[in-house]
Amino acid sequence: MWITRVVSAALLTLGLAAGPAAADSTPSASPSDDSAAPTSAGTSFRTATEIDQGRTATANASAGDYLYWSFPADTGQRPTVRATVKLPAQHAAQTWQIDVYDGLRRRQACQYGAQTRTAAAGTESVELACVLRTVRAWSEPWANDPLPGTYYLRLTAVGVRTADLGQPMAAEVRVESKDMGGAAAVDGRLAEPLIPGVAMTQRQDEAEEESGASAVLSAIEPDDGWSSGWWSDRWVWTASGAVLAALAGIGGYALTRGPGRPRHVPPNV
């Protein structure tokens, strides 16, 4: 009887723990409606066009231009950046490249993916991809780890003949993330996500100063807001392990204690 109860409780605990873990490993849902996606790109970090993850942004430009987009990435996400460059029918060999920078404008390395590709002469399009490292909730000041905040995507041609400069081209970019769950969780968190630039109020008179008005951070953020950084499914597995250890102790005691001691019967007088 004790064994049955212990096994049942253990299976129930594992089921409860596996539920959140399975949910964390599922990629975030991406909106299917791209009607509101941007149709232009910025030309610098300051003018980068904001895009949401899961939507395809487009832009028309010329070979040799620098195209910039920005997107939010939160704790536990592993972003994947994809870009497609559509080229004119007549062109020489061209090399295109995508680079990703964090909110401090530090270039982030790609784990894998074709970050740089060369389109042969006459090729209609070229596809690029960059899978970043998992975004951490906290990192040492000297480290170059990805942190939650704004990320910049830059698309440009790094090898174009002078005769091809200025030729029309079209670009499509899309960012998607996979939630890595508690396996990538770390202790600590940032006080604020790395969102560069502030939107200052136009009027900064004495009344605003007395009322405590302050600069407002950029509006770019994930749909469900920024994560606090302290919660992960590691808490679920830790609690489950503690419960299972307690149940195992109770079950072991019940199996090894043996039959109950008989009551003391006084001798016959």
Side-chain angles (χ1 to χ4, degrees), residues 112-191:
Y112 52 87
Q115 182 181 6
T116 303
R117 300 191 73 174
T118 300
T123 303
E124 295 182 356
S125 63
V126 58
E127 296 183 356
L128 309 169
C130 174
V131 180
L132 299 175
R133 294 173 295 167
T134 303
V135 178
R136 297 162 57 92
W138 179 85
S139 178
E140 295 287 350
W142 48 261
N144 194 36
D145 296 323
L147 295 171
T150 301
Y151 282 76
Y152 294 94
L153 163 62
R154 183 178 71 183
L155 172 65
T156 186
V158 295
V160 181
R161 295 177 56 182
T162 305
D164 289 339
L165 291 176
Q167 284 192 348
M169 51 79 66
E172 294 182 358
V173 296
R174 186 180 182 90
V175 181
E176 295 178 324
S177 291
K178 180 179 180 181
D179 193 347
M180 304 305 294
V186 296
D187 296 330
R189 66 185 181 92
L190 297 180

Side-chain angles (χ1 to χ4, degrees), residues 30-41:
S30 57
S32 58
D33 183 13
D34 290 336
S35 59
T39 57
S40 62

